[in-house]
Amino acid sequence: MARLNRLLAALLLSALGTTVQAQWVSDSWDVMGTRAQVEIWAPDPGGAAAVGAVRDEFERLNTLLSPWIEDSVISRINRLASSEPVHVSEEVAALLNTSRHYNILTDGAFDITFASAGHLYDYRQQVMPDADALAQARSQIGMQSLSLSPENAVVFSKPGMKIDLGGIAKGYAIDRAVAILRDLGIQHAWISLGGDSYTLGDRRGRPWMVGIRHPRNQTEIVLSIPVNDLAVSTSGDYERFFIKDGERIHHIINPVSGEPAGQVVSVTILASASIDADALSTSVFVMGIERGMKLVESLDDVSAVIIDQSGKVFYSSDLTGSD
Ligand code: ADP
Ligand code: MG
């Protein structure tokens, strides 16, 4: 009996021992129209709770911001803001203000009212607007037609206009997830949502390696860079698209034409916050190499890798050490 007790005690101790051990925990799932992936260095069993907290936050933001969920705040704005003020939370107001900031910074290339035209495309059903519908939609694009009062009331001055936060929502969601992990005491993690990712800390003594894939040959890595505490976002014309009459109809819309932006095929932005990397990757995609790179060079702590139609790769000067 005493022997058995000793054995049980030993088993219990070893079980307790494992509960305080840290380990890598990874998970992936579908959310926000894309694939989420996390890798977290966490105490066992804290890893499962940390992944659960990230899952809950992504789900919350999807329900809040998706224009395809009928009672999301974005759907409510799109339905009502041309006829009555729509009151939004501080969080949503902050996202609208960040959107405005990027709209001004990019001289209109980043514009959440792109959706007036963007929502006429259906990439799965291969549907695009005809010339009349597109002309009408173009007249509804322009962020100056959206006002946000100090009381957080949104008003549209053009009937039928629409917004979509798809250009920054995933970046914002990642920043939120990183804040949640930090609050849980987690020091090493990698989080990605589609083309947006963040590396928290290092990989326990080794850097995280982020690879930029070739947009036309998914198995080819154009550049592999060691990063930590850095956001990396890629916007590509290969994420959501169909081919019509030889033309690639994709999901990054030039607000001037209401049609897919055509000069480049992929833009990767490195920045300290994921929301900035996300907004800028979409913006630089629309702006093209010359205007886009000029903007990147003017910003502190922002780098870019742009690949054009011919497959040529352009790097911001800090990456090539030429500044
Ligand atoms: P993803 O990670 O979804 O591929 P990107 O960062 O490449 O996202 O951004 C593309 C998304 O941004 C589109 O799906 C759309 O929701 C939104 N978007 C498209 N064009 C614009 C634009 N000109 N300004 C702001 N947002 C845009
Ligand atoms: Mg983006």
Side-chain angles (χ1 to χ4, degrees), residues 239-261:
E239 291 282 350
R240 227 168 261 147
F241 74 96
F242 61 94
I243 306 281
K244 174 117 184 197
D245 301 331
E247 233 181 293
R248 186 178 280 258
I249 310 298
H250 63 81
H251 68 142
I252 302 173
I253 303 291
N254 182 343
V256 176
S257 64
E259 295 176 295

Side-chain angles (χ1 to χ4, degrees), residues 145-322:
S145 308
L146 180 156
S147 73
L148 176 67
S149 74
E151 295 75 36
N152 296 344
V154 179
V155 172
F156 287 167
S157 62
K158 287 196 179 147
M161 64 185 274
K162 296 202 161 44
I163 59 167
D164 187 328
L165 295 182
I168 52 166
K170 289 198 283 292
Y172 175 66
I174 289 182
D175 288 339
R176 288 284 314 135
V178 169
I180 286 169
L181 293 182
R182 283 206 167 104
D183 280 351
L184 291 171
I186 291 181
Q187 294 173 336
H188 312 275
W190 172 78
I191 307 178
S192 89
L193 255 180
D196 299 291
S197 69
Y198 190 90
T199 50
L200 172 61
D202 64 6
R203 200 176 198 164
R204 304 214 345 112
R206 285 183 296 151
W208 294 96
M209 295 302 292
V210 171
I212 300 173
R213 290 180 308 176
H214 193 281
R216 294 290 180 263
N217 175 6
Q218 299 289 297
T219 54
E220 187 186 327
I221 301 288
V222 171
L223 177 75
S224 189
I225 13 177
V227 291
N228 47 46
D229 292 317
L230 201 72
V232 181
S233 283
T234 298
S235 288
D237 66 6
Y238 49 88
E239 291 282 350
R240 227 168 261 147
F241 74 96
F242 61 94
I243 306 281
K244 174 117 184 197
D245 301 331
E247 233 181 293
R248 186 178 280 258
I249 310 298
H250 63 81
H251 68 142
I252 302 173
I253 303 291
N254 182 343
V256 176
S257 64
E259 295 176 295
Q263 205 196 339
V264 304
V265 299
S266 122
V267 174
T268 297
I269 298 285
L270 289 74
S272 336
S274 200
I275 194 168
D276 299 316
D278 192 6
L280 285 169
S281 66
T282 308
S283 306
V284 171
F285 195 105
V286 172
M287 295 172 93
I289 289 154
E290 207 173 307
R291 278 176 68 211
M293 210 49 115
K294 200 167 156 202
L295 171 66
V296 168
E297 299 284 359
S298 76
L299 300 171
D300 285 338
D301 303 323
V302 175
S303 317
V305 180
I306 310 178
I307 304 177
D308 75 3
Q309 294 283 359
S310 69
K312 190 163 179 225
V313 187
F314 298 80
Y315 302 93
S316 57
S317 55
D318 59 320
L319 291 179
T320 55
S322 61

